[in-house]
Amino acid sequence: MSEQDQRHMKRALALARKGVGKTSPNPAVGCVVVKDGRVVGEGWHQKAGLPHAEVNALSMAGSEAQGADVFVTLEPCSHTGRTPPCAKALIAAGVRRVVAGMVDPNPQVAGKGFALLRKAGIIVEHGVMEAECRAINRPFIKHVTTGLPYVTYKCAMTLDGNIATVTGESQWISCLDSRRYTHRLRAAHDAIMVGVDTIIADNPHLTVRHVKGRSPLRIILDTRLRTPESVTVLSESMAHGTIIATTESNPRVHLRYTQQGATVIVCDEYDGRVSMVDLLQKLGKRGIQSILLEGGSRLAGEMLQNNAIDEFIFFLAPKIIGSDGFAPFTLRGITSMDQAIKLQFGQIAHSGQDIIVHAWPAEAACSPA
């Protein structure tokens, strides 16, 4: 990898990041077109259904794309979906070389885009800054290879490890900067998940408010359908974006939610509660690629013990509550340190007066780049 190739791929990555959280179910992709050492075209995928990054970059480059080098974070697609194949657009433009960050894991592509380019006589290279290219599309990669959504657990906690006081009060542990960061996270995910106890106790909006961005779908885990019909997430303006996951199979009982516009998903039961495995499979089949888990300690503990959390984001506030508070996870069966669930640290940064800690399961396939 030459220094120039790396520099252009870094720029393609910067462009791709503009689309993170906005392109689902498609990946976020950035593209740079270079002719005689000059950048003549740039583009990124802005939204599903709109032109892909390569098409936008070629449009900017115009006739200068002829004989140019193209740097793209992901293998150009070879199939026709909502837009035509990007590999064919590159061939038609007459580019000389295509440098890609990674192979597209989508079975519909998976090397077929490269094969089309090579057949047309275009030089193809890939694997340039691959770890960084994979990192920006973790949800897409997991969903397209497993059918399951990528789950990010987020919580605000005091320095002594509590997410609420003994009375259940948690507003506000984190500072305003951290709450804004949380709303950016919400805007970047397809859905946000909480348990029915959180809905009953806090009546949250589960929307994006502190920043600009779309509000995600809302998923409520409610084994016995205890969600009050009067809560905010079932209001006239929000119910259509709310999913209630339950084990209650009687459609007559569902009516009080579906008549308001909500969707009820019936899941298998495991240990007296909604089966996390079955729920995630059903959500994945609905095209949900990414979930921000903001539930309480019981839901978070169940997800953790089912190995269903792919990424952790902790907001540590410089506050102390004491031993009567609530811990982030309710876990069963851990009696010694060698049974502890092990994580690896990623980025650690400041957020106002708080500290943000990113972590991944120690054996995660999608660990930090």
Side-chain angles (χ1 to χ4, degrees):
M1 174 174 58
S2 71
E3 186 177 330
Q4 282 191 338
D5 284 358
Q6 186 172 17
R7 176 164 56 86
H8 294 313
M9 189 59 75
K10 281 183 179 178
R11 177 57 184 163
L13 275 162
L15 292 167
R17 291 188 182 101
K18 294 185 178 184
V20 171
K22 303 172 185 175
T23 62
S24 180
N26 296 341
V29 181
C31 181
V32 176
V33 181
V34 180
K35 181 74 169 287
D36 299 327
R38 298 178 297 110
V39 174
V40 295
E42 293 187 338
W44 68 95
H45 187 35
Q46 299 176 18
K47 185 180 179 182
L50 295 182
H52 289 186
E54 298 94 322
V55 174
N56 288 328
L58 290 173
S59 177
M60 181 177 175
S63 61
E64 291 200 87
Q66 179 79 33
D69 292 353
V70 175
F71 297 83
V72 60
T73 54
L74 183 70
E75 175 185 1
C77 61
S78 56
H79 64 292
T80 300
R82 295 168 71 177
T83 59
C86 292
K88 290 186 177 180
L90 291 165
I91 293 168
V95 305
R96 182 186 76 90
R97 181 172 72 127
V98 172
V99 180
M102 60 176 287
V103 176
D104 191 335
N106 185 345
Q108 289 185 292
V109 186
K112 297 182 181 72
F114 291 151
L116 278 177
L117 296 171
R118 289 191 176 105
K119 187 176 181 180
I122 296 171
I123 300 168
V124 175
E125 301 172 22
H126 63 85
V128 177
M129 301 186 69
E130 182 173 357
E132 291 86 347
C133 291
R134 293 183 66 85
I136 63 172
N137 278 311
R138 292 188 186 104
F140 169 77
I141 292 170
K142 182 178 181 183
H143 186 261
V144 82
T145 56
T146 69
L148 299 173
Y150 184 93
V151 178
T152 300
Y153 170 72
K154 163 262 154 188
C155 80
M157 58 193 295
T158 59
L159 201 57
D160 58 344
N162 289 298
I163 61 171
T165 67
V166 67
T167 62
E169 182 182 346
S170 61
Q171 297 181 344
W172 296 104
I173 288 177
S174 58
C175 66
L176 181 58
D177 286 345
S178 295
R179 298 200 292 277
R180 287 178 177 145
Y181 190 105
T182 294
H183 282 242
R184 286 195 293 273
L185 285 173
R186 288 182 177 182
H189 284 75
D190 292 340
I192 180 171
M193 180 184 289
V194 298
V196 64
D197 290 339
T198 296
I199 295 295
I200 292 172
D202 300 336
N203 190 20
H205 288 75
L206 304 180
T207 56
V208 173
R209 300 185 301 281
H210 293 304
V211 299
K212 289 183 179 179
R214 62 176 178 84
S215 291
L217 295 172
R218 293 162 292 278
I219 302 169
I220 304 169
L221 266 72
D222 186 357
T223 302
R224 306 300 175 208
L225 289 183
R226 296 187 292 121
T227 301
E229 297 169 57
S230 60
V231 295
T232 302
V233 294
L234 291 177
S235 64
E236 184 177 350
S237 61
M238 298 176 67
H240 288 281
T242 298
I243 296 172
I244 302 176
T246 183
T247 60
E248 173 56 66
S249 60
N250 188 338
R252 293 183 180 179
V253 181
H254 300 172
L255 277 177
R256 58 194 180 111
Y257 301 113
T258 57
Q259 286 179 339
Q260 290 180 263
T263 299
V264 176
I265 297 179
V266 179
C267 300
D268 294 341
E269 185 170 325
Y270 178 77
D271 199 19
R273 294 175 60 80
V274 167
S275 164
M276 298 299 169
V277 173
D278 187 49
L279 172 60
L280 291 175
Q281 289 174 344
K282 284 181 165 65
L283 294 175
K285 287 178 181 177
R286 288 174 172 265
I288 295 175
Q289 283 189 359
S290 58
I291 295 173
L292 184 63
L293 177 62
E294 290 194 20
S297 58
R298 186 164 63 170
L299 173 57
E302 286 189 38
M303 292 286 280
L304 183 58
Q305 290 195 306
N306 277 279
N307 298 314
I309 300 177
D310 299 288
E311 183 176 346
F312 301 80
I313 302 177
F314 299 98
F315 294 86
L316 294 177
K319 300 174 182 177
I320 293 175
I321 291 177
S323 60
D324 289 336
F326 286 88
F329 303 98
T330 298
L331 299 174
R332 295 168 294 175
I334 295 180
T335 58
S336 61
M337 287 305 297
D338 62 355
Q339 296 173 314
I341 296 171
K342 298 175 178 62
L343 307 179
Q344 57 178 319
F345 286 132
Q347 181 185 14
I348 299 175
H350 281 279
S351 173
Q353 65 186 28
D354 302 335
I355 294 174
I356 306 177
V357 177
H358 290 251
W360 279 261
E363 305 301 323
C366 289
S367 57

